[in-house]
Amino acid sequence: MRPLQLQLQGFTAFHDRITVEFGERRLFAITGPTGAGKSSLLDGMIWALFGRVPRVSNRIGELISHGALQARVHFEFEAHGHQYRVARVRPLKGQTTARLERLLPGGDALPLADSVNEVNTHVETILGIDYDTFVKTIILPQGEFSAFLSGDPKDKKTVLSRLLGLDVYRAMMQAANNRAGGAKSAADALQQQHEQLDYRSADALTALESQLRDAEARQRQLAARQAALQQLDTVSSLYLTRAKDAAAAVAAHEQACARATAADAAVTHARSTLEAASVAVERTAEQLASLGYDRHAHQQARERLASAERLEAARAQLQLAERSLVAARATETVAAAQRARAEALRDSAEAALATAIRDLTVSASVAAACASRLEAEASTATSDSAEAGRKSHEAELRAKQLQHLAEAAHALRRDVEAADAEAQRATAAAATAEAAAQQAAAAEATATEELTRREQALDAARIADAAAAILATLSVGDPCPVCGEPLTDLREHAAPDLDAAARAVDVARKAHTRAREAAGHAGNEAAAAHARAEEARRSLTAAVARQAAHEDQLTAAAATRTGVDRAAKRAAAVAAAERERAAEHETRAAALAEDARTLRALLARLPHDIEIDAGAAPSEAGIEEIASALGSAIESHATAASGAADARATLVAAEAALSNATAEVSTALALHQHQAAAVEEAAQVLTAAGEAAATADTLREAVTALDRMAEQDAALRAALDEHERARAAASAVVVERDGAREAATRAAAEAETVAAVARETASAACVAFEAEWRRQLPPNLSPDAAAVADLIQAANRKATDLAAEAGRAAATLEAARGEVARATRLLKEAATFRRTSEVAAGLGLELQANRFVAFIQREAMQVLAADAGDRMLQLSRDRYRLEADGDEFVVVDRLNGDERRSVRTLSGGETFLASLALALALSERLPELSGHGGALALDSLFLDEGFGSLDAESLDIAIQGLELLATGSRMIGVISHVPEVAERLADRIEVVKVGGTSTIRDGR
């Protein structure tokens, strides 16, 4: 990882935004006073990458500048040949947001992740190390390595365990011991569960199986008993049914006897009613005879009263008839005079009307002839216009059809050309994509083979390295680290280059990932290209089919693809000419039709009695003149006809008045004669009756008295009729009741016979039931049909109980079988847990600090000493080399004959160089030693302080050593507040305080 640019805002001392450009820096210093914010630059980079900072862990809110609303960081870096940009924002209130992008050539950015977790995962993948490894390798903790270099062995082991993360093995030992104890506890618990089971062996099942068989046998016996009871229930049901039928027959006989007794009582009551009705008839007849009403005399009195009333009315009507006769004769005389005047007026009007009819007939005949001629000419012009319109319409349709076909032909030609070009392009693209997919697949297969080969080589190298490392610490007779047996033979194994093998695997894995991604992308592109090519071919086929169908339409329209435009234009010209001709004929037809309508409108006003001369010749005069003459004739005729009609109406009215007057005279005379005859007739009727002197009032009184007698007579006769009907009804009831009594007597006898038969049938059924009872049940039980149901219910309850008992026995047996199976399983699981406990206890024993951890610490000391010795040679210009001597570091002075002495004899500057060499060795070897894979190539290092205690000579040696390390592409940043460091390093980043915030000054 190599930093490129860092932006901070609202982060610790940097309230305002600052930007640090790392660019092509090699060896540079980050200087400034204490508390200015030098280390905050490293904190910002670490937070941008991993979302946490060593000094506050995840409590990033504590790093927000005082007064700021949020902390913001943008960090651009380079890793494995690619450039990336990561950004994080932490507001005062709310959650942190993060975004990771890969920077592309040209200034574009490819988003990779936009959530905190995704960014953290991607950063670890890109860098190849996690947070803990990063802060131990990129940011070197100098103070710890000085103590680690020259401290006592116990302190070295503590520091080494912390730097290498060996506490994980202590945790593993505790986990193994916990697992051993847990497995033992689980085995004991399973054993205890096994001891608590009631049924632990197959022998315990025998008694349960015997109980189940006994319950099933009793169930079968009870089933036979239930079948016998069912048969007895059938016989008892028949017996109960027969007994019920016999009881019903006896009840029916008793009811029939009761009905016969009721019938006797009804007959007696009916005879009493008949006698009462006869008495009422006789009494009413006597009352009617004593009244003495004479209906004939009553009628005659009514007739005499009517004759008297008619005489009075006839005399009054005769007086009125005399007055009407005088008035009618006077009206007749006046009507005769008016009739004479009306006849003279009629003769004059009739003569004028005859003259008007002759004139109107001549004018109408001439106008009708002209109208016929105009209508014929208009019809001809209309036909000509319609024909021209039809030809114009046909031409327009053909022009439109040809124009549409022409446009379609051009469009289809363009579609076919475009579809053909697209199909060719898509086919070529598909072929290219297919070839690329095949190449990518082949490259993926090659990368897979290479990765497999490299991983196998790495595994073999690790095994060989582990074997060599272990053998280097062992001697013949030492216990084997694996089995504990004494070693009898040790063969030398050359230590392989694990770093090279791990780097090769890493390179192969990345190449395989890129090849797999490329193959997948190429396969997708090829599939998409083939799909596009197939779609383009289908489009081309469809376009060609549409063009072929269009050719058929052109053929049907008698046109060709090249001549359809000219044919469309010709058809349009013909249509325009025919439209003009049709318009001309239509205009002429409209004018002729208008003239004809004018004449026909006048002719429509002719009276129905005017006869037109069909042979009249059309006039040569103008239409207006003909119409004017006809209109004048119509008006004259109308005036004459109106006068004649008025005269005739006047004459008719006069004749009607005279006729009415004569009729009124005749009517009045006839009425007078009729009324005189009526008076005479009424007088004769009264004279003949001998009551000519009687008045109508006297007769009215006599008739009223007779009316009252008639009403009494009618009432008595109605009562007599009612009593007669009651007597007849009572007589009929007596007859009916006699018949019902006889029927009830017969029914009682029949019911007695049915009851006797039913009693005999019930007796036989009882005998059969008692026999079946004694056959099916014990002799100590008396036969009882009602008890059969109780016996069946008791048997059913017992069957239910037996079924439940059998079910419980079966369930108990099944549960026992399950417990036996569970007991077997518990024993097996307990044995498994005991084996696990033994294995875990053995692992915990091996992971004790004086065994496996001590072995790793010794191996780490050797690896670090070898790597740090090479670096010390470089830093000390080939004078000193570090080596490990047990738990101590010694220095080999090559200028003094490879003298070996303690590192405590080094000067201050030499001690700093040795500590730096040891720190660099650990930073590069840490991923391998802590189990994170092969060695890590460090593109950048940051040294935080560590120079304050150096004298001028030691500082000079340290700076020279750093200048040697900064060769090539490695970047080294030194964080220090010592002015001499800043003076010795020309490339500086100065952190200065300005008011309440800090800012950056570039010292290059």
Side-chain angles (χ1 to χ4, degrees):
M1 190 279 296
R2 183 181 182 85
L4 298 176
Q5 183 190 78
L6 175 67
Q7 290 183 5
L8 297 177
Q9 183 177 5
F11 189 83
T12 64
F14 302 101
H15 186 281
D16 300 328
R17 188 174 69 176
I18 60 100
T19 301
V20 181
E21 297 288 349
F22 295 99
E24 300 300 325
R25 296 181 188 271
R26 290 293 180 265
L27 177 60
F28 63 95
I30 301 177
T31 66
T34 302
K38 301 184 297 298
S39 297
S40 294
L41 298 179
L42 298 184
D43 292 340
M45 286 189 287
I46 297 172
W47 181 51
L49 293 172
F50 298 100
R52 49 182 170 158
V53 177
R55 55 174 162 161
V56 297
S57 186
N58 294 324
R59 301 185 304 277
I60 304 301
E62 299 178 6
L63 300 181
I64 300 176
S65 301
H66 180 70
L69 298 178
Q70 62 184 7
R72 179 187 298 272
V73 59
H74 285 247
F75 181 46
E76 295 181 9
F77 63 95
E78 181 179 356
H80 306 293
H82 296 287
Q83 294 183 3
Y84 301 90
R85 178 169 57 221
V86 60
R88 291 183 191 264
V89 178
R90 172 63 162 85
L92 277 174
K93 296 182 179 179
Q95 300 297 322
T96 300
T97 59
R99 181 178 179 83
L100 176 65
E101 300 171 325
R102 191 173 75 188
L103 303 179
L104 303 177
D108 295 332
L110 175 66
L112 298 179
D114 57 2
S115 70
V116 172
N117 292 334
E118 291 180 354
V119 169
N120 295 343
T121 302
H122 276 70
V123 166
E124 289 187 4
T125 302
I126 292 170
L127 299 182
I129 55 176
D130 59 7
Y131 167 79
D132 293 329
T133 305
F134 182 88
V135 298
K136 293 176 183 177
T137 56
I138 305 299
I139 312 299
L140 297 183
Q142 287 294 321
E144 289 190 1
F145 287 99
S146 177
F148 180 62
L149 178 67
S150 58
D152 60 43
K154 184 178 180 180
D155 293 337
K156 287 187 178 68
K157 291 180 179 179
T158 301
V159 174
L160 188 60
S161 296
R162 185 170 64 253
L163 292 175
L164 296 179
L166 297 182
D167 291 340
V168 67
Y169 296 107
R170 183 177 299 105
M172 289 175 60
M173 179 188 69
Q174 294 175 354
N177 292 333
N178 293 336
R179 186 173 183 184
K184 184 178 183 302
S185 299
D188 293 341
L190 292 173
Q191 185 66 38
Q192 185 178 3
Q193 293 178 19
H194 175 268
E195 296 300 330
Q196 292 175 352
L197 294 177
D198 295 331
Y199 304 97
R200 296 192 293 274
S201 65
D203 296 338
L205 305 179
T206 304
L208 296 176
E209 292 173 348
S210 176
Q211 293 176 5
L212 179 59
R213 287 194 297 272
D214 179 64
E216 291 174 347
R218 282 184 285 136
Q219 278 187 306
R220 290 191 293 271
Q221 293 175 0
L222 184 59
R225 173 70 179 277
Q226 286 180 305
L229 288 175
Q230 289 296 334
Q231 178 63 27
L232 180 61
D233 183 60
T234 302
V235 177
S236 66
S237 297
L238 179 61
Y239 161 60
L240 292 175
T241 301
R242 294 290 186 265
K244 184 178 180 181
D245 293 342
V250 170
H253 174 257
E254 293 174 352
Q255 292 174 358
C257 293
R259 285 195 293 272
T261 302
D264 286 336
V267 169
T268 301
H269 181 269
R271 290 187 182 280
S272 298
T273 302
L274 177 59
E275 292 176 357
S278 299
V279 171
V281 169
E282 292 174 358
R283 186 182 298 112
T284 304
E286 292 175 357
Q287 293 176 355
L288 185 61
S290 64
L291 180 62
Y293 170 69
D294 187 355
R295 184 179 299 169
H296 181 66
H298 188 191
Q299 183 64 32
Q300 288 179 348
R302 286 181 178 277
E303 291 176 356
R304 287 194 299 274
L305 176 60
S307 298
E309 291 175 346
R310 283 196 298 272
L311 177 60
E312 291 179 353
R315 287 173 179 170
Q317 291 296 327
L318 179 60
Q319 293 176 359
L320 293 175
E322 288 177 351
R323 287 194 294 271
S324 297
L325 179 59
V326 172
R329 285 175 175 168
T331 301
E332 183 181 17
T333 300
V334 174
Q338 290 177 349
R339 178 177 178 281
R341 288 193 297 273
E343 285 181 346
L345 182 61
R346 182 199 61 187
D347 294 340
S348 175
E350 289 288 349
L353 178 60
T355 301
I357 289 174
R358 286 194 300 272
D359 296 341
L360 180 58
T361 300
V362 173
S363 297
S365 299
V366 173
C370 290
S372 298
R373 177 175 58 80
L374 291 173
E375 289 171 349
E377 293 177 356
S379 176
T380 302
T382 300
S383 299
D384 294 342
S385 175
E387 180 65 20
R390 183 184 62 79
K391 292 180 180 179
S392 172
H393 180 65
E394 291 177 353
E396 286 179 354
L397 290 179
R398 178 167 176 76
K400 291 180 180 178
Q401 179 187 17
L402 292 172
Q403 181 64 30
H404 177 70
L405 291 174
E407 294 174 355
H410 297 319
L412 287 173
R413 184 169 61 253
R414 290 193 299 270
D415 292 345
V416 171
E417 292 174 354
D420 183 47
E422 180 61 24
Q424 292 179 5
R425 287 194 299 271
T427 302
T432 302
E434 182 64 28
Q438 293 177 358
Q439 292 177 358
E444 181 186 8
T446 301
T448 302
E449 294 176 357
E450 180 64 17
L451 176 60
T452 302
R453 188 174 64 82
R454 294 295 185 183
E455 289 177 342
Q456 292 174 351
L458 178 58
D459 292 339
R462 284 174 175 168
I463 294 171
D465 181 71
I470 293 174
L471 288 174
T473 62
L474 298 177
S475 302
V476 176
D478 291 343
C480 177
V482 178
C483 65
E485 295 296 327
L487 297 173
T488 59
D489 182 23
L490 292 176
R491 298 179 183 178
E492 294 184 359
H493 292 272
D497 189 351
L498 284 180
D499 294 343
R503 286 192 294 270
V505 169
D506 185 56
V507 171
R509 182 176 293 110
K510 293 176 181 178
H512 176 262
T513 301
R514 290 193 296 271
R516 184 175 64 251
E517 293 175 353
H521 179 70
N524 294 335
E525 289 293 332
H530 282 299
R532 289 192 293 271
E534 183 62 25
E535 181 63 24
R537 286 192 290 270
R538 286 196 295 269
S539 299
L540 176 59
T541 302
V544 172
R546 291 195 300 272
Q547 191 178 46
H550 184 263
E551 290 289 345
D552 296 338
Q553 295 177 359
L554 287 174
T555 303
T560 62
R561 190 187 306 172
T562 57
V564 66
D565 291 327
R566 292 190 299 274
K569 293 179 181 178
R570 288 196 300 272
V574 171
E578 291 297 333
R579 279 198 302 273
E580 293 179 358
R581 193 164 67 87
E584 293 175 356
H585 287 300
E586 185 177 2
T587 301
R588 183 169 179 274
L592 293 173
E594 182 63 26
D595 293 340
R597 282 194 296 274
T598 301
L599 294 178
R600 289 297 183 190
L602 292 173
L603 291 172
R605 294 168 52 190
L606 294 177
H608 297 294
D609 56 348
I610 301 299
E611 296 182 358
I612 298 174
D613 185 6
S619 175
E620 296 299 329
I623 296 302
E624 295 180 356
E625 184 179 353
I626 295 172
S628 177
L630 180 58
S632 298
I634 290 173
E635 294 295 333
S636 299
H637 175 269
T639 302
S642 177
D646 292 341
R648 286 195 293 272
T650 301
L651 178 59
V652 170
E655 290 178 345
L658 179 60
S659 177
N660 291 335
T662 303
E664 288 178 358
V665 171
S666 299
T667 300
L669 181 60
L671 180 60
H672 181 270
Q673 293 174 353
H674 175 71
Q675 293 299 329
V679 171
E680 182 63 24
E681 180 181 0
Q684 292 177 357
V685 170
L686 289 177
T687 301
E691 298 182 3
T695 62
D697 294 336
T698 304
L699 292 174
R700 286 190 187 95
E701 293 177 357
V703 169
T704 300
L706 290 173
D707 287 340
R708 287 195 294 269
M709 291 181 66
E711 292 176 357
Q712 294 176 1
D713 181 75
L716 290 174
R717 291 185 183 279
L720 181 61
D721 291 341
E722 181 65 27
H723 294 322
E724 289 286 353
R725 285 193 296 274
R727 183 173 62 180
S731 178
V733 170
V734 169
V735 174
E736 179 186 356
R737 295 291 187 268
D738 287 338
R741 181 177 59 184
E742 294 176 359
T745 302
R746 287 194 302 271
E750 293 173 355
E752 184 178 4
T753 302
V754 171
V757 173
R759 282 193 294 271
E760 293 177 359
T761 303
S763 179
C766 179
V767 171
F769 164 69
E770 291 177 351
E772 184 65 22
W773 178 283
R774 294 188 183 91
R775 190 174 67 85
Q776 298 292 352
L777 296 177
N780 60 336
L781 294 178
S782 299
D784 185 0
V788 174
D790 295 336
L791 292 174
I792 292 176
Q793 290 180 1
N796 290 340
R797 286 194 296 271
K798 189 172 182 180
T800 302
D801 294 340
L802 280 176
E805 181 181 350
R808 287 192 296 271
T812 302
L813 178 60
E814 185 65 25
R817 289 171 177 166
E819 285 193 1
V820 170
R822 186 186 175 196
T824 303
R825 186 173 65 255
L826 288 174
L827 290 177
K828 291 181 179 178
E829 291 178 356
T832 301
F833 275 112
R834 286 194 180 91
R835 289 193 298 272
T836 301
S837 176
E838 294 171 358
V839 173
L843 179 59
L845 185 63
E846 292 297 330
L847 290 175
Q848 289 181 355
N850 60 352
R851 292 196 178 187
F852 185 72
V853 172
F855 169 76
I856 292 180
Q857 290 173 340
R858 290 194 300 271
E859 289 301 306
M861 287 284 290
Q862 296 296 328
V863 171
L864 291 176
D867 193 282
D870 294 338
R871 296 180 184 276
M872 187 61 181
L873 282 175
Q874 182 182 11
L875 291 173
S876 63
R877 300 183 185 275
D878 293 332
R879 179 177 179 179
Y880 296 114
R881 178 180 179 84
L882 288 178
E883 290 183 357
D885 185 7
D887 294 332
E888 295 285 346
F889 286 109
V890 297
V891 61
V892 178
D893 190 348
R894 300 184 65 180
L895 296 181
N896 294 320
D898 291 338
E899 177 187 5
R900 292 168 60 88
R901 52 191 171 90
S902 174
V903 293
R904 295 182 181 88
T905 62
L906 295 174
S907 65
E910 293 171 343
T911 300
F912 175 78
L913 293 180
S915 298
L916 180 60
L918 187 59
L920 292 175
L922 182 64
S923 66
E924 290 201 356
R925 290 292 187 176
L926 184 61
E928 175 187 357
L929 295 173
S930 59
H932 291 282
L936 176 69
L938 300 180
D939 295 328
S940 58
L941 294 174
F942 288 90
L943 305 179
D944 193 356
E945 294 299 342
F947 300 89
S949 61
L950 299 182
D951 55 19
E953 181 181 1
S954 298
L955 180 61
D956 184 64
I957 295 174
I959 295 298
Q960 292 178 8
L962 291 177
E963 290 174 346
L964 291 175
L965 289 175
T967 58
S969 61
R970 176 178 291 168
M971 173 191 293
I972 298 179
V974 177
I975 301 175
S976 179
H977 66 283
V978 178
E980 289 79 6
V981 175
E983 293 173 359
R984 291 295 304 271
L985 299 179
D987 189 359
R988 295 185 297 275
I989 297 174
E990 297 182 19
V991 181
V992 296
K993 278 186 170 292
V994 180
T997 185
S998 295
T999 187
I1000 298 297
R1001 284 205 297 258
D1002 197 332
R1004 284 187 295 184

